[in-house]
């Protein structure tokens, strides 16, 4: 008598990858940038990161076990990754209780309120970050100077904030640029900012590692960064005294962190290349618009969350042709 086999719907793909492997590979890719942030900010970078990771893991365990009445899944690495990304999006001087609030919102509201991993429509770390930014704008925009800074101050503004303030005051960009770090300093991370936005170079090293391990593809990061470069380049060419050159926007703020590590979240990004193209262009355009014309100097967090909301539509209306079928 033959055994009955239950066949699930296609696609039938076999791979050795798992959620755990993917999450821990992303965490490993973030290690160089984390090490650099510790070098620049010292113990405070360690404090913020450990607190955020511990809080995210603890809140996920408690909510799943005692509120959702399900088996906690804290060993899959997703909560720890959310904690690291949350830490990368806040100042090194952020008070402990605010980090805890951000972790609770990220896990409790951004992730588990929708059913947990695989069901959340928005990136949880960005939900926590934006909540903190709107609720505590002073603390979230008070950037401590690095250990190696030569200025005699405790806090300072980011390059994006200095640019925004200068242009708003009527200064030409050429004059504002005299007080901004050179592009090489921006590449290495010799500037104030959050833990995850002070070194484009180390974020790019992590990007190369994830491409090598096939954790992500190049499409979304390239579409986002390419759009930022092209759109900002057009504005700069038409009015160089009001808009800065595009490389500055690639190397400052959360452009690299957002494009490489947050917009590529498999749950909240489109599945098809065409959908990823629209998604990436949308994030790039919104980022440039907010940075140049919005109230905030940084816009990629809002841009990613907005386009996260369009992901289900992109997945529904932009589908590849079925194998053997016709359009």
């Amino acid at each position: 008598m033959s055994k009955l086999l239950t066949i699930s719907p296609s696609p039938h793909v076999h791979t050795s990858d798992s959620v755990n492997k993917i999450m821990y590979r992303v965490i490993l890719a973030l290690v160089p940038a984390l090490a650099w942030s510790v070098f620049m900010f010292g113990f405070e970078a360690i404090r913020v990161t450990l607190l955020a990771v511990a809080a995210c893991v603890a809140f996920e365990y408690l909510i799943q076990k005692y509120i959702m009445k399900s088996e906690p899944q804290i060993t899959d690495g997703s909560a720890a990754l959310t904690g690291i990304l949350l830490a990368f999006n806040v100042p090194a001087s952020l008070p402990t209780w605010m980090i805890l609030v951000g972790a609770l919102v990220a896990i409790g509201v951004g992730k588990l309120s929708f059913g947990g991993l695989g069901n959340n429509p928005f990136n949880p770390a960005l939900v926590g970050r934006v909540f903190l930014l709107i609720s505590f704008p002073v603390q979230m925009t008070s950037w401590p100077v690095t250990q190696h800074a030569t200025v005699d101050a405790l806090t300072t503004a980011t390059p994006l904030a200095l640019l925004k303030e200068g242009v708003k005051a009527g200064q030409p960009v050429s004059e504002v640029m005299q007080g901004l770090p050179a592009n090489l300093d921006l590449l290495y991370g010799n500037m104030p900012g959050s833990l995850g936005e002070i070194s484009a170079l180390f974020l790019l090293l992590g990007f190369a590692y994830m491409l090598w391990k096939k954790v992500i593809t190049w499409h979304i990061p390239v579409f986002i960064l390419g759009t930022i470069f092209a759109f900002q380049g057009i504005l700069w060419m038409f009015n160089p005294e009001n808009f800065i050159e595009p490389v500055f926007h690639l190397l400052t703020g959360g452009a690299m962190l957002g494009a490489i590590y947050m917009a590529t979240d498999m749950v909240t990004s489109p599945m098809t290349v065409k959908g990823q193209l629209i998604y990436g262009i949308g994030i790039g355009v919104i980022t440039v618009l907010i940075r140049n014309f919005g109230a905030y100097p940084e816009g990629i967090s809002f841009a990613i969350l907005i386009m996260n909301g369009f992901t289900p539509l992109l997945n529904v209306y932009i589908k590849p042709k079925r194998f053997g079928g016709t359009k």
Side-chain angles (χ1 to χ4, degrees):
M1 181 178 178
S2 62
K3 293 182 179 180
L4 295 177
L5 299 177
T6 301
I7 305 298
S8 63
S10 61
H12 305 109
V13 178
H14 175 74
T15 176
S16 60
D17 287 335
S18 63
V19 172
N20 299 45
K21 282 185 179 181
I22 292 171
M23 294 299 169
Y24 287 115
R25 282 173 180 170
V26 177
I27 291 173
L28 186 58
L30 289 165
V31 168
L34 176 59
W36 182 257
S37 70
V38 173
F39 174 73
M40 296 299 285
F41 293 111
F43 175 76
E44 287 299 286
I46 300 174
R47 177 188 69 88
V48 170
T49 305
L50 289 180
L51 270 173
V53 171
C56 285
V57 172
F59 285 134
E60 178 152 315
Y61 177 86
L62 293 172
I63 293 172
Q64 286 183 330
K65 186 172 181 65
Y66 297 107
I67 296 178
M68 299 175 70
K69 306 296 183 182
S70 61
E71 186 66 26
Q73 304 292 326
I74 60 173
T75 58
D76 63 11
S78 62
L81 178 58
T82 298
I84 295 174
L85 290 174
L86 177 63
F88 271 36
N89 276 276
V90 301
S93 58
L94 198 68
T96 297
W97 69 271
M98 286 188 187
I99 298 172
L100 298 179
V101 170
L104 178 59
V105 172
I107 295 296
V109 177
K111 183 180 180 182
L112 296 181
S113 65
F114 297 98
L117 183 64
N119 300 300
N120 50 290
F122 303 102
N123 186 288
L126 286 181
V127 172
R129 193 258 179 185
V130 169
F131 176 85
L132 291 175
L133 179 63
I134 295 173
S135 303
F136 314 107
V138 175
Q139 292 86 347
M140 282 291 290
T141 54
S142 297
W143 308 102
V145 297
T146 65
Q147 295 185 130
H148 312 284
T150 56
V151 296
D152 186 16
L154 294 177
T155 61
T156 186
T158 64
L160 280 175
L162 290 172
L163 175 65
K164 174 79 78 173
E165 292 168 4
V167 172
K168 188 177 180 181
Q171 293 178 275
V173 168
S174 57
E175 184 179 322
V176 177
M177 286 181 66
Q178 296 176 9
L180 298 177
N183 284 344
L184 192 59
D185 287 325
L186 298 177
L187 178 66
Y188 290 140
N190 188 18
M191 61 177 175
S194 67
L195 301 187
E197 67 180 29
I198 61 165
S199 179
L201 177 62
F202 290 102
L203 293 172
L204 288 170
L205 286 176
F207 179 41
Y209 170 78
M210 290 196 294
L211 289 177
W212 174 48
K213 289 295 185 179
K214 298 183 180 179
V215 175
I216 62 172
T217 63
W218 58 268
H219 302 89
I220 291 176
V222 170
F223 292 152
I224 293 173
L225 298 175
T227 301
I228 291 174
F229 183 87
F231 190 14
Q232 184 65 32
I234 293 170
L235 295 175
W236 174 60
M237 284 190 296
F238 274 99
N239 194 343
E241 287 305 310
N242 280 347
F243 302 102
I244 201 166
E245 50 88 18
V247 175
F248 175 86
H249 277 280
L250 294 181
L251 299 177
T252 54
M256 291 290 179
L257 178 66
I260 298 170
Y261 298 93
M262 310 195 81
T264 54
D265 176 23
M266 294 179 182
V267 177
T268 59
S269 60
M271 294 183 290
T272 64
V273 173
K274 189 181 293 185
Q276 291 169 2
L277 172 64
I278 298 171
Y279 174 79
I281 291 174
I283 292 173
V285 168
I286 296 170
T287 299
V288 172
L289 288 175
I290 293 176
R291 286 184 173 188
N292 286 288
F293 306 106
Y296 291 99
E298 176 58 281
I300 196 159
S301 297
F302 296 103
I304 293 173
L305 289 175
I306 290 170
M307 292 308 296
N308 282 165
F310 283 96
T311 294
L313 290 175
L314 294 174
N315 286 335
V316 168
Y317 291 106
I318 301 177
K319 295 180 179 178
K321 185 184 72 172
R322 290 187 180 91
F323 181 74
T326 58
K327 284 192 176 183

